[in-house]
Amino acid sequence: MINYTNTAIVELKSQIFEQFDVRVLLKREDQNHPFISGNKWWKLKYNLERALKDGHSTLVTFGGAYSNHLYATAAAARELGLNSIAVIRGEETLPLNPTLSFVKAAGTQLYYISREAYRNKAAPSFIQQLHDRFGNFYLIPEGGTNALAVKGCAEWAKLVKEEVDFDYLCLPVGTGGTMAGVIEGLNESSRVMGFPVLKGAIFLEEEIKKYTFKNNWELVYDYHFGGYGKITDELIEFIIQFEKQFNVPLDPIYTAKMMFGLIDLIKKQYFHQRSTILIMHTGGLQGRAGFNF
Ligand SMILES: *Cc1c(COP(=O)(O)O)cnc(C)c1O
């Protein structure tokens, strides 16, 4: 299967954490694979296994022009010698951004569809059109979220919990697939806190409940910074400071928003004293390359 390097769990030390008497641990999953990084590795794991078992030679998946999921899937297809097609929301813009340049160079075919068509991408009639065009393929949904992705993320959380004990686990949330898996992988002695990066993402509640009946989790909606892909000067300043202080890179779309939110909640005494908080670094640093700061 695809290559995997086990990653370190490091303690972040700071005066603020000391002052509020919390222990903050970071799982450096951004370092698990050079191209299929963070949660995307775990979301793809069982999907790729299924695709190979079923004898598929082509993957089809969906995403926007900056998608970490498209990037990871392109790298996985290359590593496994599979054909792959990325169905991309919106029109082609040239030159290609760093994400799509990589996807294309990895051998993935770029297939652009209108935003309107993209909204309809899960409809059977649209999937049939894709089959008419591309033949047989294994379909991975947008963002890679499905039951097999949840299974992979559950395994990830279970392994982390075997390595270290914690009271809270924090992670950034896009589609909710990773969070659902993490909840499934833990018992009720740990509380999972998800930080959605989309604005007004109340649909996530239902999305997560599709995959888990457990209720040891919550979504913190206050740290989206204006919505998906929106970046403020305050956030950029935070990233620069954080990287200097802890020597850990953050991506502006996901991990920086979560870290900002977490530190803010610590300052607001959200966590009881002597709590241990485990943070998942979900990767996404390929997206950092497009920003000049
Ligand atoms: C895709 C991604 C997420 C969100 O994962 P979901 O399963 O869609 O919620 C979080 N962090 C990073 C870095 C990602 O690339």
Side-chain angles (χ1 to χ4, degrees):
M1 280 295 288
I2 45 174
N3 210 25
Y4 179 79
T5 307
N6 192 23
T7 61
I9 295 172
V10 296
E11 178 163 5
L12 303 183
K13 298 252 189 196
S14 95
Q15 229 174 0
I16 289 175
F17 303 157
E18 222 168 90
Q19 183 187 335
F20 291 97
D21 200 8
V22 292
R23 195 163 167 243
V24 179
L25 307 175
L26 181 65
K27 175 67 171 166
R28 288 295 307 273
E29 203 66 10
D30 54 308
Q31 297 180 323
N32 62 359
H33 189 287
F35 307 114
I36 311 166
S37 96
N39 61 336
K40 297 302 185 281
W41 194 96
W42 294 98
K43 293 183 84 169
L44 285 168
K45 179 180 180 184
Y46 289 106
N47 276 292
L48 297 170
E49 193 181 288
R50 166 65 42 209
L52 293 176
K53 263 191 195 147
D54 290 353
H56 287 285
S57 56
T58 303
L59 304 175
V60 168
T61 195
F62 307 84
Y66 297 90
S67 166
N68 294 332
H69 167 66
L70 289 186
Y71 188 98
T73 305
R78 181 179 60 184
E79 196 163 317
L80 297 173
L82 296 168
N83 303 315
S84 95
I85 295 145
V87 181
I88 300 162
R89 180 182 62 230
E91 268 151 43
E92 179 181 41
T93 48
L94 294 171
L96 294 177
N97 70 33
T99 304
L100 293 183
S101 296
F102 174 89
V103 168
K104 190 174 178 197
T108 290
Q109 185 180 338
L110 309 183
Y111 180 60
Y112 297 89
I113 62 174
S114 71
R115 283 162 193 278
E116 198 189 342
Y118 194 86
R119 253 175 257 131
N120 193 35
K121 65 186 171 309
S125 59
F126 182 70
I127 304 299
Q128 188 52 50
Q129 282 176 37
L130 290 176
H131 279 295
D132 293 344
R133 193 177 189 100
F134 299 114
N136 197 2
F137 56 73
Y138 182 82
L139 185 146
I140 304 176
E142 183 184 38
T145 290
N146 58 15
L148 290 175
V150 169
K151 180 182 171 186
C153 293
E155 181 177 316
W156 179 27
K158 213 161 162 249
L159 289 171
V160 173
K161 186 81 189 193
E162 281 166 14
E163 267 186 80
V164 66
D165 199 22
F166 48 82
D167 305 299
Y168 297 90
L169 185 152
C170 296
L171 78 168
V173 177
T175 64
T178 303
M179 182 167 176
V182 165
I183 294 164
E184 272 298 283
L186 299 177
N187 62 36
E188 313 242 341
S189 70
S190 315
R191 192 163 180 80
V192 181
M193 296 178 66
F195 293 75
V197 300
L198 278 77
K199 187 174 171 177
I202 41 168
F203 70 89
L204 282 170
E205 200 97 16
E206 289 309 311
E207 193 58 26
I208 289 167
K209 285 179 183 164
K210 276 188 202 164
Y211 297 106
T212 181
F213 293 117
K214 293 184 182 170
N215 53 24
N216 55 324
W217 56 276
E218 68 195 271
L219 289 160
V220 183
Y221 291 103
D222 306 328
Y223 300 100
H224 56 71
F225 286 82
Y228 184 76
K230 298 277 194 317
I231 295 154
T232 64
D233 290 345
E234 187 186 25
L235 188 66
I236 291 174
E237 193 50 45
F238 172 78
I239 293 172
I240 293 168
Q241 270 303 114
F242 186 92
E243 291 180 349
K244 223 194 294 180
Q245 186 175 359
F246 298 108
N247 200 24
V248 173
L250 298 175
D251 84 294
I253 312 289
Y254 290 103
T255 50
K257 292 181 179 180
M258 168 201 52
M259 272 312 315
F260 185 103
L262 174 63
I263 292 174
D264 198 46
L265 289 181
I266 289 172
K267 288 178 184 164
K268 289 176 173 158
Q269 292 185 290
Y270 183 90
F271 301 95
H272 63 79
Q273 288 188 331
R274 315 201 50 182
S275 299
T276 299
I277 303 161
L278 187 285
I279 307 162
M280 299 287 219
H281 196 314
T282 47
L285 295 171
Q286 68 87 14
R288 181 79 168 76
F291 295 92
N292 292 318
F293 58 81

